[in-house]
Amino acid sequence: MSRTAVEIAAAVASGAASAVSILEEHLARIDEREAEIHAFNTVLTDEARAQAAEIDRQVAAGHDVGPLAGVPIALKDNLCTRGIPTTCSSRMLEGWRPPYNATVVERLAEAGAVLVGKTNLDEFAMGSSTENSAFGPTRNPHDLSRVPGGSSGGSAAAVAAGFSAVALGSDTGGSIRQPAALCGVVGMKPTYGAVSRYGLVAFASSLDQVGPFSRDVADSALLYELISGHDPRDSTSIPATLPSVRGHLDRGVEGLRVGLIRELLGETLDGFEPEVLAQTRAAADTLAAAGAIVDEVSVPSTIYGLSAYYLIAPAEASSNLARYDGVRYGHREEGGANTAAMMRASRTAGFGPEVKRRIMLGTYGLSAGYHDAFYGKAQRVRTLIIDDFAKAYENFDVLLSPTSPCVAFPFGAKSDPLTMYLNDVATIPSNLSGQPSISVPFGTGAHGLPVGVQVLAPLLGEPVMYQVAAQIERAAKEPLLQETLLKEGRS
Amino acid sequence: MPEPLTPDVVAKVADLAMLELSDDELQTFTAQLAAVLEHAHDVEELDVDDVAPTHHPYPLQNVMRTDDPHPAVDAEVAAAALAMAPSVEDGQFRVPPALGEEP
């Protein structure tokens, strides 16, 4: 498999490798496997070649080329790229070219990254499998008969297949972490407000965050440092200097207190596969072996997270997606006799079934007479979850759980919407609380498919979160240790 | 919690959301939305009357930019935005008549 972003940037900056040759390696893999995987909505071959050649010219001229010099990167297709189609995998935005770049896109370009393409997603980021894409699903590089997870399934698959070294996604209820787990890569959702959302197409504004996909924890930390920080163009952006994280990667976990979330260990909620639980406990054991103090902790209200989420997120989505009316941009259905008829016809033709479901769920939950019973109640439950996390963090530095209850599932296996939603049970609490969490690959589960373990931390706890994630990654690279722990009957 | 979801209610909601549903879609969506709302009933068992709602997970208030003059959207960006519109006339977005007959 290809080199990491840290390795590529060092090689390109020192002249040991050219950005063009690095790019060609990635384009060759795209040529070989993209037809069967379908990670991308758009591959930017010519633009990427021009960008890589420019980096090489700068290196030759002795200029400073930035910490991501020549690193091939993919972007989820709900991040605005100037002049480059940004579809959200929806007929509604097919062919739309934004007149501006998202702030994260600007920051990556300044750092010298080379944009290879825009990746597939569940339409408007609503889903957990990419099966809701209007342009067809992405297939899991580990098993083409299975989903890559979602909604950022294209970004996860692109990194797993070596189409790009790193990628960005967005995470509203687990849309970075769950596909990362299912594709065997690292995926991180930052603290709410740590990364600018200017230019991220909005889904649920009190939950959405942009974050990185990578093949290792060090790349994730580098990407996080580069994309995070205050942006005056996003009023939810935290107006403070954020702590750096990369210095924490090699500190080990001696004395750190790690809490396994009891409600997410398969006894309280159904649907957790035994192999996934066994790997989660094995990851905890490796932390204990490295000197951490590991114990179980109850975060009781997490079990209500799913219900709160599916009342809050659709409500906010119904409001955010009201802007798609065929007037200023996006799909217009011609032939309506008046403006309202044109808008109805455009929305009906432009949105797919899952988006319509969520818009209607949200419209219902916000309608007169129901607002308090649904949205209002869910927001109060949200407070309970935040309070429960706060209590847990009185005694623990980080918390641990499976990322997804199951490994990658076959296409069509969760065709009932509620069954699909239940897949997000372990990731949703961090979106409701606004706290950071990361999925780190740790061994395999059923059918030899990748398992992800999730590390959760308090608001702006990214440094300690990365510290623990790096230790789990070190342990995961020692298969013998892992095998021994699993044999000791921790399933 | 309000009464169970019926196709009539879903039809009303679709109308509010400016979506048109076929009869088949109406039946399917009613069943699917009812299942999600049924699951969400579990929050009923929680007593949250004295709990304050969370609108936003990070404590920020009254975010204002400094009151410095800055250029409005430049002509190039405005042209790019108009170029992406479904219908334009004289530098403005064009729509069918607001009060025209329903088809």
Side-chain angles (χ1 to χ4, degrees), chain A residues 117-154:
Chain A
K118 302 293 294 288
T119 59
N120 196 20
L121 61 147
D122 286 293
E123 184 175 1
F124 282 103
M126 297 177 188
S128 311
S129 68
T130 73
E131 290 170 291
N132 297 329
S133 167
F135 310 132
T138 298
R139 283 171 283 277
N140 192 313
H142 296 274
D143 179 345
L144 297 174
S145 71
R146 292 171 187 269
V147 305
S151 65
S152 315

Side-chain angles (χ1 to χ4, degrees), chain A residues 88-92 122-124 126-127 130-136 314 317 321 347-362 415-417 421, chain B residues 10 14 17 19-22 24-26 28-30 32-33 36:
Chain A
C88 293
S89 289
S90 177
R91 298 282 173 213
M92 182 58 86
D122 286 293
E123 184 175 1
F124 282 103
M126 297 177 188
T130 73
E131 290 170 291
N132 297 329
S133 167
F135 310 132
L321 273 65
R347 289 169 62 80
T348 301
F351 291 138
E354 180 62 22
V355 174
K356 288 177 183 170
R357 253 190 302 278
R358 300 221 194 172
I359 289 175
M360 288 194 289
L361 190 55
S415 54
D416 165 58
Y421 298 169
Chain B
V10 175
L19 294 169
E20 291 156 13
L21 302 184
S22 68
D24 279 356
E25 284 176 322
L26 186 61
T28 308
F29 282 139
T30 302
Q32 290 170 337
L33 297 179
V36 176

Side-chain angles (χ1 to χ4, degrees), chain A residues 149-194:
Chain A
S151 65
S152 315
S155 285
V159 172
F163 296 166
S164 66
V166 288
L168 292 188
S170 65
D171 190 315
T172 305
S175 280
I176 291 173
R177 293 160 286 156
Q178 182 257 15
L182 270 48
C183 288
V185 298
V186 176
M188 199 284 261
K189 182 201 85 75
T191 297
Y192 183 85

